[in-house]
């Protein structure tokens, strides 16, 4: 049975900081953010918003747009790494908010959980819900899979340049208008790692930045290897001599902690894929350097990162490789459009891959490309760490959804924060009622209980 993404909606907070202002305040060259990382603006949550609010606002949008009744929703899953309770699942808060609009008990029949595995958990939730549909358990109902996060790092750290916030919700069913998942090819990799993690009670993560960059690429490559085996074994793809699996994928959507990570990961995967192919010889000639190898090719990530001579040569090689016409072609045609939204919004952790998918659809459609039947490959990564690679085909009805996408309009009106305002928000110095904006027709957080007997209880309202 077919299963896939029927529609997609986003909710992005209206406050943002500008990369140039931020760089100036931190004494960093603005080019490092804009060109080096691909960050122009970072969305920031107001004092009366939390990840559950963002998720509920996204859910309301998709339900209203599709005139969905609560009875037609069989499952509501939330994936997040910004959880604020160790026991009560975030989807229960969202159900509570939605019932303020749809009526008490309207979602009583619905099931679902909150899932966690850093930024990859949304992909697991998507896979599990697609399988719920494929198994015939959905009985005509839809699943809502929401990915919602606030990417927040300690002030003054290098991670602070890669913040953001927002939620994406996907409507999953057996007649998807946007994308039908390719069956029997979803591939995963997993390893016990400490590249990025957030211990209990800590609001911000502990990050080993360069380690996490390299681990991301290694784990996705491993999952891609398995994907390739599955795609060939299942007959989804047949490789002619000299072909790579990437030649059979029209668009690549990668996890985007910052937009240039997509380009970095693409370069890494393409190098890995093309190295064995006849075309590599010509590319090496064009680059004019041999591909560098670490002193200990079977070494650990630490030993590779510690091999400074290799790292410098590899950096230079990658820069030259990304300038070749062969790489430029694959970058422009398969990846570039998925990076646009990330530059404007920043890191959404679990949601960043799916914001990239939405960006790819909108901006490829605007380029006048016929997307019908195009294959989209997804490279999902979660620190800690696990990767998932999967794919799907864009469906004939996609225009019904994509023609109305307008990121600029959805983001507006945005308010730029001064650095002083941003730092006040970052350090949680204000209460929910001291919000910077007074939005209407949105769910907002009103109060978090601090009494001993009801500590942590959250109260939300729909702001009429
Ligand atoms: N002008 C133009 N470019 C410049 C520049 C300048 N003046 N200065 C530096 N750059 C370039 C660098 O060359 C580099 O580009 P390349 O990677 O193409 O070489 C880029 O800007 C970034 O510079 P650095 O690598 O020196 O930056 P950094 O080490 O200070 O910080 C970071 C980068 C490690 C990603 C940091 O922001 C960080 O720790 N972020 C959080 C962790 C993270 O996002 N990890 C990604 C993988 S893990 C994951 O994906 C899970 C998740 O969601 C967090």
């Amino acid at each position: 049975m077919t299963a896939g993404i029927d529609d997609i909606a986003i909710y992005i907070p209206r406050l943002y900081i500008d990369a140039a202002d931020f760089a100036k305040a931190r004494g960093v060259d603005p080019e490092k953010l804009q060109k080096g990382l691909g960050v122009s603006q970072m969305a920031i949550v107001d004092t009366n918003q939390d990840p559950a609010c963002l998720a509920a606002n996204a859910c309301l949008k998709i339900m209203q747009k599709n005139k969905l009744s609560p009875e037609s929703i069989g499952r509501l899953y939330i994936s997040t790494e910004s959880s604020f309770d160790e026991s009560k699942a975030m989807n229960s808060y969202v159900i509570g908010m939605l019932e303020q609009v749809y009526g008490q008990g309207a979602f009583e029949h619905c099931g679902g959980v909150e899932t966690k595995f850093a930024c990859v958990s949304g992909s697991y939730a998507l896979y599990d819900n697609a399988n719920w549909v494929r198994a015939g358990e959905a009985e005509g109902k839809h699943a809502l899979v929401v990915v919602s996060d606030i990417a927040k790092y300690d002030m003054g750290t290098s991670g602070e340049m890669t913040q953001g916030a927002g939620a994406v919700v996907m409507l999953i069913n057996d007649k998807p208008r946007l994308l039908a998942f390719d069956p029997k090819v979803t591939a995963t990799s997993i390893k016990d790692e400490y590249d990025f993690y957030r211990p209990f009670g800590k609001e911000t993560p502990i990050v080993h930045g360069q380690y996490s960059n390299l681990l991301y690429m290694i784990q996705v490559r491993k999952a891609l290897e398995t994907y390739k085996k599955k795609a060939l074994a299942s007959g989804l793809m047949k490789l002619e001599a000299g072909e790579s699996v990437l030649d059979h994928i029209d668009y690549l959507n990668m996890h985007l902690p910052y937009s240039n990570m997509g380009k970095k990961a693409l370069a890494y995967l393409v190098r890995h894929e093309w190295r064995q192919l006849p075309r590599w010889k010509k590319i090496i000639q064009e680059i004019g350097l041999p591909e560098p190898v670490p002193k200990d090719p079977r070494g650990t990530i630490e030993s590779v990162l510690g091999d400074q001579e290799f790292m410098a040569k590899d950096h230079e090689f990658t820069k030259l490789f990304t300038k070749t016409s062969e790489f430029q072609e694959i970058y422009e045609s398969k990846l570039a459009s998925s990076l646009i939204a990330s530059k404007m919004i920043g890191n959404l952790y679990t949601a960043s891959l799916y914001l990239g998918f939405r960006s790819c659809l909108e901006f490829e459609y605007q380029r006048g490309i016929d997307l019908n039947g195009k294959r989209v490959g997804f490279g999902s990564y979660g620190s800690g760490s696990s990767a998932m690679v999967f794919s799907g085909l864009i469906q004939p009805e996609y225009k019904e959804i994509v023609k109305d996408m307008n990121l600029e309009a959805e983001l507006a009106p945005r308010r730029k924060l001064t650095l002083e305002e941003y730092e006040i928000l970052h350090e949680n110095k204000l209460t929910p009622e001291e919000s910077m904006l007074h939005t209407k027709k949105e769910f907002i957080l009103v109060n978090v209980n601090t009494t001993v007997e009801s500590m942590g209880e959250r109260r939300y309202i729909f702001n009429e």
Side-chain angles (χ1 to χ4, degrees):
M1 190 189 271
T2 304
I5 305 173
D6 185 62
D7 198 359
I8 185 165
I10 58 173
Y11 177 84
I12 307 295
R14 309 245 178 263
L15 300 175
Y16 74 96
I17 41 172
D18 186 77
D21 296 350
F22 177 80
K24 203 167 139 211
R26 294 285 174 269
V28 176
D29 183 354
E31 295 280 285
K32 174 167 176 176
L33 275 88
Q34 276 161 2
K35 292 220 171 93
L37 295 164
V39 176
S40 297
Q41 286 112 24
M42 295 183 262
I44 302 290
V45 281
D46 209 335
T47 58
N48 58 0
Q49 294 182 311
D50 66 11
C53 278
L54 308 182
N57 285 319
C59 287
L60 188 62
K61 267 192 187 181
I62 209 164
M63 289 192 63
Q64 288 181 335
K65 181 182 163 222
N66 290 284
K67 299 190 174 53
L68 294 171
S69 66
E71 295 76 53
S72 68
I73 309 295
R75 283 179 153 208
L76 198 157
Y77 267 52
I78 291 213
S79 304
T80 185
E81 54 183 304
S82 318
S83 200
F84 43 71
D85 194 287
E86 302 303 343
S87 171
K88 186 171 158 59
M90 200 179 285
N91 55 340
S92 65
Y93 299 83
V94 173
I95 296 282
M97 281 184 254
L98 291 173
E99 287 192 349
Q100 290 186 30
V101 172
Y102 289 99
Q104 195 81 31
F107 285 84
E108 217 166 45
H109 59 280
C110 189
V113 291
E114 173 188 320
T115 72
K116 172 171 71 184
F117 202 135
C119 307
V120 74
S121 60
S123 304
Y124 280 96
L126 210 52
Y127 181 58
D128 290 355
N129 280 285
N131 286 337
W132 173 70
V133 171
R134 285 181 182 131
E137 297 277 340
E139 297 171 330
K141 292 193 194 304
H142 313 269
L144 287 175
V145 174
V146 201
V147 272
S148 180
D149 266 308
I150 298 171
K152 181 170 178 176
Y153 294 86
D154 285 331
M155 264 182 359
T157 61
S158 61
E160 198 193 5
M161 297 178 285
T162 62
Q163 300 184 113
V168 175
V169 57
M170 288 162 283
L171 185 66
I172 309 302
N173 62 30
D174 59 354
K175 292 182 194 63
R177 286 168 293 172
L178 272 182
L179 182 104
F181 293 123
D182 288 327
K184 299 190 172 27
V185 288
T186 297
T188 50
S189 67
I190 195 161
K191 191 160 185 271
D192 177 16
E193 288 279 3
Y194 277 98
D195 57 326
F196 167 113
Y197 59 103
R198 188 167 68 88
F200 281 160
K202 199 172 177 312
E203 197 195 13
T204 49
I206 293 170
V207 190
H208 304 295
Q210 297 302 342
Y211 190 98
S212 70
N213 278 347
L214 184 55
L215 187 61
Y216 165 132
M217 297 189 285
I218 292 172
Q219 290 294 74
V220 174
R221 175 175 61 70
K222 285 185 181 160
L224 181 67
E225 282 296 325
T226 310
Y227 172 91
K228 185 160 53 176
K229 285 191 193 122
K230 287 182 148 195
L232 297 179
S234 67
L236 184 78
M237 286 176 196
K238 196 169 170 296
L239 299 189
E240 303 293 335
E243 276 190 344
S244 145
V245 69
L246 299 178
D247 299 332
H248 292 258
I249 297 176
D250 300 293
Y251 294 105
L252 275 158
N253 290 173
M254 305 300 299
H255 167 51
L256 300 174
Y258 50 95
S259 79
N260 278 9
M261 186 68 217
K263 189 174 185 182
K264 239 175 154 51
L266 180 70
Y268 185 89
L269 296 178
V270 171
R271 272 172 70 177
H272 180 73
E273 277 298 308
W274 288 2
R275 200 172 281 138
Q276 326 298 339
L277 305 181
R279 66 184 90 165
W280 194 238
K281 213 170 148 191
K282 180 174 169 280
I283 291 168
I284 289 289
Q285 275 169 0
E286 206 177 323
I287 294 173
L289 290 176
E291 193 175 13
V293 215
K295 278 194 196 93
D296 180 4
R298 293 184 171 276
T300 59
I301 296 180
E302 284 97 336
S303 77
V304 173
L305 291 172
D307 185 346
Q308 287 178 8
E309 194 187 333
F310 164 75
M311 289 304 289
K313 281 188 178 161
D314 197 64
H315 192 254
E316 189 190 354
F317 183 90
T318 306
K319 285 273 168 243
L320 293 170
F321 174 56
T322 53
K323 290 198 174 95
T324 61
S325 53
E326 288 83 354
F327 180 80
Q328 280 298 318
E329 202 277 316
I330 196 169
Y331 170 76
E332 287 299 336
S333 64
K334 295 186 199 274
L335 183 80
S337 56
S338 70
L339 309 182
I340 299 170
S342 167
K343 286 183 191 158
M344 297 157 71
I345 296 165
N347 192 1
L348 306 189
Y349 288 160
T350 50
S352 68
L353 172 64
Y354 299 101
L355 181 69
F357 172 51
R358 147 86 212 234
S359 179
C360 168
L361 292 171
E362 178 174 338
F363 295 107
E364 284 300 299
Y365 176 75
Q366 278 183 17
R367 287 173 66 203
I369 302 211
D370 181 6
L371 297 175
N372 185 15
K374 298 274 190 220
R375 172 158 288 124
V376 184
F378 295 82
S380 189
Y381 175 68
S383 293
S385 75
S386 177
M388 183 184 278
V389 171
F390 57 101
S391 59
L393 284 187
I394 297 186
Q395 297 299 290
E397 302 81 10
Y398 78 93
K399 278 190 195 159
E400 269 178 52
I401 312 284
V402 178
K403 68 176 172 34
D404 295 326
M405 287 181 174
N406 185 339
L407 188 64
E408 289 257 4
E410 272 196 83
L411 288 178
R414 288 178 109 185
R415 157 126 128 70
K416 186 166 104 161
L417 292 167
T418 64
L419 249 290
E420 197 187 359
E421 286 172 327
Y422 154 71
E423 288 185 0
I424 288 170
L425 288 175
H426 189 284
E427 297 307 292
N428 305 322
K429 288 190 176 151
L430 301 175
T431 58
E433 61 269 26
E434 293 172 295
S435 64
M436 304 259 169
L437 296 176
H438 301 282
T439 49
K440 293 275 175 232
K441 304 247 173 258
E442 287 188 2
F443 295 107
I444 52 167
L445 174 69
V446 188
N447 176 256
V448 183
N449 199 311
T450 50
T451 64
V452 175
E453 61 280 8
S454 303
M455 188 183 294
E457 257 186 38
R458 288 176 182 242
R459 204 164 68 76
Y460 301 92
I461 57 161
F462 186 65
N463 214 2
E464 287 289 356

